[in-house]
Amino acid sequence: MSIETRQPEEHALSRRNVTFAAIFVCFSVAVGIYAYRTLSIGTAAEMGAGFFPVVLSIVLGFLALAVAFTPISSGALPLRFASIKSSVLVLGAPLVFAATIQSLGLVAAVALTIFFSSFASRFATLRQSLLLSAGFTVFCVAVFHYLLNLPIPLWGDLITG
């Protein structure tokens, strides 16, 4: 009677994870340094314009490092390029928001942006996109207009006249 013991599998670092982590660390360092040197940082109580970009770049850098040291299983699927449609919709979403925020206001700009970008998923349905758009719009209005009191009008000039 013999007892077999299984040796734990050696998980080498994934070249894919390390590559993406290096890209994101470089990006976060560049943005963090730029924001730190060009914008007012302020304090946690009195945040300047550069506070959020600097903190966000630090968080992105640490998350990227965590990804670099995450082993990938042997059964992981290879990376694939996103479809052209998905890429255009995701990259175009900020443009839709920027083009509509002044003229339509926060409510319509967020609703259109989320609705537009939700179709980047090949599984998106009209009903799901409408529900996602409505829910995210309510969330954004609650956070940015009511909780943070940002001076963004709920309704733009095109709607209010």
Side-chain angles (χ1 to χ4, degrees), residues 58 61-62 128 143 152:
I58 291 168
F62 280 119
Q128 290 170 335
V143 169
I152 303 171

PDB file of all heavy atoms in Angstrom, residues 58 61-62 128 143 152:
ATOM      1  N   ILE A  58      -2.006  56.005  -8.314  1.00  0.00           N
ATOM      2  CA  ILE A  58      -1.372  55.139  -7.313  1.00  0.00           C
ATOM      3  C   ILE A  58      -2.138  53.824  -7.194  1.00  0.00           C
ATOM      4  O   ILE A  58      -1.548  52.737  -7.185  1.00  0.00           O
ATOM      5  CB  ILE A  58      -1.280  55.863  -5.955  1.00  0.00           C
ATOM      6  CG1 ILE A  58      -0.270  57.006  -6.040  1.00  0.00           C
ATOM      7  CG2 ILE A  58      -0.909  54.893  -4.836  1.00  0.00           C
ATOM      8  CD1 ILE A  58      -0.309  57.951  -4.856  1.00  0.00           C
ATOM      9  N   GLY A  61      -1.533  51.701 -10.236  1.00  0.00           N
ATOM     10  CA  GLY A  61      -0.197  51.103 -10.178  1.00  0.00           C
ATOM     11  C   GLY A  61      -0.152  49.880  -9.283  1.00  0.00           C
ATOM     12  O   GLY A  61       0.421  48.848  -9.651  1.00  0.00           O
ATOM     13  N   PHE A  62      -0.763  49.969  -8.093  1.00  0.00           N
ATOM     14  CA  PHE A  62      -0.774  48.819  -7.185  1.00  0.00           C
ATOM     15  C   PHE A  62      -1.608  47.665  -7.737  1.00  0.00           C
ATOM     16  O   PHE A  62      -1.238  46.497  -7.601  1.00  0.00           O
ATOM     17  CB  PHE A  62      -1.260  49.223  -5.792  1.00  0.00           C
ATOM     18  CG  PHE A  62      -0.204  49.888  -4.968  1.00  0.00           C
ATOM     19  CD1 PHE A  62      -0.379  51.174  -4.512  1.00  0.00           C
ATOM     20  CD2 PHE A  62       0.983  49.230  -4.654  1.00  0.00           C
ATOM     21  CE1 PHE A  62       0.604  51.800  -3.756  1.00  0.00           C
ATOM     22  CE2 PHE A  62       1.972  49.841  -3.911  1.00  0.00           C
ATOM     23  CZ  PHE A  62       1.785  51.134  -3.452  1.00  0.00           C
ATOM     24  N   GLN A 128     -32.283  45.251 -21.597  1.00  0.00           N
ATOM     25  CA  GLN A 128     -31.164  45.333 -20.648  1.00  0.00           C
ATOM     26  C   GLN A 128     -30.437  46.665 -20.769  1.00  0.00           C
ATOM     27  O   GLN A 128     -30.057  47.267 -19.760  1.00  0.00           O
ATOM     28  CB  GLN A 128     -30.181  44.193 -20.884  1.00  0.00           C
ATOM     29  CG  GLN A 128     -30.701  42.836 -20.493  1.00  0.00           C
ATOM     30  CD  GLN A 128     -29.787  41.715 -20.962  1.00  0.00           C
ATOM     31  OE1 GLN A 128     -29.040  41.881 -21.933  1.00  0.00           O
ATOM     32  NE2 GLN A 128     -29.858  40.577 -20.302  1.00  0.00           N
ATOM     33  N   VAL A 143     -25.198  60.672  -7.009  1.00  0.00           N
ATOM     34  CA  VAL A 143     -23.833  60.895  -6.537  1.00  0.00           C
ATOM     35  C   VAL A 143     -23.325  62.276  -6.922  1.00  0.00           C
ATOM     36  O   VAL A 143     -22.879  63.054  -6.061  1.00  0.00           O
ATOM     37  CB  VAL A 143     -22.878  59.802  -7.075  1.00  0.00           C
ATOM     38  CG1 VAL A 143     -21.434  60.162  -6.823  1.00  0.00           C
ATOM     39  CG2 VAL A 143     -23.206  58.468  -6.445  1.00  0.00           C
ATOM     40  N   ILE A 152     -23.118  70.749 -12.258  1.00  0.00           N
ATOM     41  CA  ILE A 152     -23.499  70.212 -13.569  1.00  0.00           C
ATOM     42  C   ILE A 152     -25.019  70.260 -13.635  1.00  0.00           C
ATOM     43  O   ILE A 152     -25.691  69.645 -12.801  1.00  0.00           O
ATOM     44  CB  ILE A 152     -23.020  68.756 -13.752  1.00  0.00           C
ATOM     45  CG1 ILE A 152     -21.502  68.657 -13.569  1.00  0.00           C
ATOM     46  CG2 ILE A 152     -23.436  68.223 -15.107  1.00  0.00           C
ATOM     47  CD1 ILE A 152     -20.998  67.240 -13.529  1.00  0.00           C
TER      48      ILE A 152
END
